[in-house]
Amino acid sequence: MSDRSALGPAAESSGAPSGGPTRVLVVLYAIFALAAGARAGVQIGTRFSEAPLAYLLSALAAVVYVVATVGLVRGGATGRRTALTAITVELVGVLAVGTLSLADPAAFPDDTVWSGYGSGYGYVPLVLPVLGLLLLRRTRNRSDRTDSPA
Amino acid sequence: MTLPLVVAITVVAGLLTLLGIASTLARRRIGLLHVAGVCLLEALLVVQAVLAGVDLARGDRPVETATFLGYLFGVLLIPVAGGLWARNERTRWAGTVLAVAAAAIGVMVWRLLQLWEATRV
């Protein structure tokens, strides 16, 4: 079939402990690090006094996404621990901020990435940490057998 | 910022997303078709940035100018980063990497249009 070759050469199998799916997750995290970082930068730079709490949370979210991205990219035991911590903070953050923003909208006059459980971003911020934790669990089981030092 | 251009970008981004998923399903890396799609997408985004730049220079200002500029130039980086990454990815997940990047662009251009339309409020 000629259209199959248009899809590219045959793939190599992802034998490394941090396989292909991890890399897809890294792309998602990188995009959210960019989105949350840019949003926090604009909010804090232009109108910090309007909603300091919401904007600081935006900045926190951005930092968490960056740390998670770096942890996932680095891999290994340290990278995995870093990513695990960041993603756990992220999950707690999105649940806490999501709940608070719905329970007490007055405390959040302007939206953050995590407001309404990430409804402004298609709920991806809610799904992302769950996927991340599942994937870390899966790769840990695999790397226990094949992990190399460093 | 015009609706037809945003629609065109969305269509190309959507096709690229499907193409990327197709590669992953076929257990293949990305091919020439993907690279062509990325180039077309980036070209359309550059055209959009130039047109928006001209509008801004003429004095049209969206309410959230800083956010608008952030999206306008941020979106230019994604096909480049996603494309290079997918090109270097040797597993079948190269296509999915590209699909995620393309889908993000499809969403971002609509947010961009929304920010632009806030000029007239």
Side-chain angles (χ1 to χ4, degrees), chain A residues 2-52:
Chain A
S2 62
D3 67 330
R4 282 202 125 201
S5 64
L7 290 177
E12 296 169 11
S13 75
S14 52
S18 57
T22 307
R23 265 158 265 181
V24 175
L25 197 69
V26 168
V27 178
L28 278 167
Y29 268 101
I31 289 175
F32 267 87
L34 181 72
R39 175 168 212 158
V42 166
Q43 288 175 332
I44 291 175
T46 59
R47 45 176 192 275
F48 182 67
S49 55
E50 281 175 33

Side-chain angles (χ1 to χ4, degrees), chain B residues 44-109:
Chain B
L44 288 172
L45 289 170
V46 169
V47 168
Q48 175 180 255
V50 170
L51 289 179
V54 170
D55 281 340
L56 285 171
R58 281 211 195 109
D60 282 345
R61 286 278 187 279
V63 176
E64 300 202 43
T65 307
T67 311
F68 178 79
L69 288 175
Y71 270 94
L72 194 63
F73 292 108
V75 81
L76 288 177
L77 303 176
I78 295 183
V80 179
L84 286 176
W85 189 335
R87 199 84 183 115
N88 289 327
E89 179 61 54
R90 308 185 73 81
T91 69
R92 65 192 164 111
W93 296 98
T96 308
V97 166
L98 200 61
V100 169
I105 290 165
V107 174
M108 281 175 80
V109 285

Side-chain angles (χ1 to χ4, degrees), chain A residues 53-131:
Chain A
L53 178 63
Y55 299 158
L56 284 176
L57 278 170
S58 282
L60 174 72
V63 171
V64 168
Y65 285 124
V66 171
V67 172
T69 308
V70 171
L72 287 170
V73 169
R74 287 197 56 198
T78 319
R80 189 172 294 112
R81 210 176 309 124
T82 310
L84 186 65
T85 311
I87 295 174
T88 307
V89 171
E90 179 197 349
L91 183 60
V92 172
V94 72
L95 290 176
V97 173
T99 307
L100 282 173
S101 66
L102 294 180
D104 185 11
F108 293 88
D110 202 352
D111 276 349
T112 73
V113 179
W114 290 340
S115 294
Y117 303 111
S119 59
Y121 292 80
Y123 294 101
V124 176
L126 183 61
V127 179
L128 212 48
V130 178
L131 285 180

